[in-house]
Amino acid sequence: MKRSLLILLFVCAGIVLGTLVARLADGISGLSWLAFGMDFGITSPLVLDLGVLSLTVGATFELSVAVIIFSVIAVLCGFAILRRR
């Protein structure tokens, strides 16, 4: 259980750092390829209106080259740390 939570923590950190790097590199000509990516998901929210209760569901994912690179690096670091224990 601890292993899974630690790897999940590293993946989340990789996603956050990758998103940060992608947004910072977007304006730089030599590094703009890091920001290349796609947005996918439910762009217009799905609404379920039951009269008394209204439920709105929507999710979008922004995937870029930097997010993929940093996620892989984070998982490898997580496994390296777990191996040392």
Side-chain angles (χ1 to χ4, degrees):
M1 183 70 176
K2 278 186 174 181
R3 288 179 59 106
S4 300
L5 288 176
L6 188 62
I7 295 297
L8 181 66
L9 176 70
F10 273 94
V11 168
C12 290
I15 290 170
V16 170
L17 287 174
T19 303
L20 177 69
V21 167
R23 291 190 181 179
L24 290 175
D26 193 24
I28 302 171
S29 64
L31 298 175
S32 63
W33 61 274
L34 288 171
F36 178 75
M38 295 179 63
D39 296 336
F40 59 93
I42 302 172
T43 55
S44 60
L46 173 70
V47 179
L48 175 64
D49 189 5
L50 300 174
V52 183
L53 177 69
S54 178
L55 179 66
T56 306
V57 179
T60 59
F61 298 97
E62 186 178 325
L63 190 63
S64 67
V65 174
V67 170
I68 294 170
I69 291 171
F70 274 84
S71 297
V72 169
I73 291 171
V75 168
L76 292 176
C77 288
F79 281 133
I81 288 174
L82 286 175
R83 195 175 348 189
R84 288 185 183 177
R85 287 183 164 199

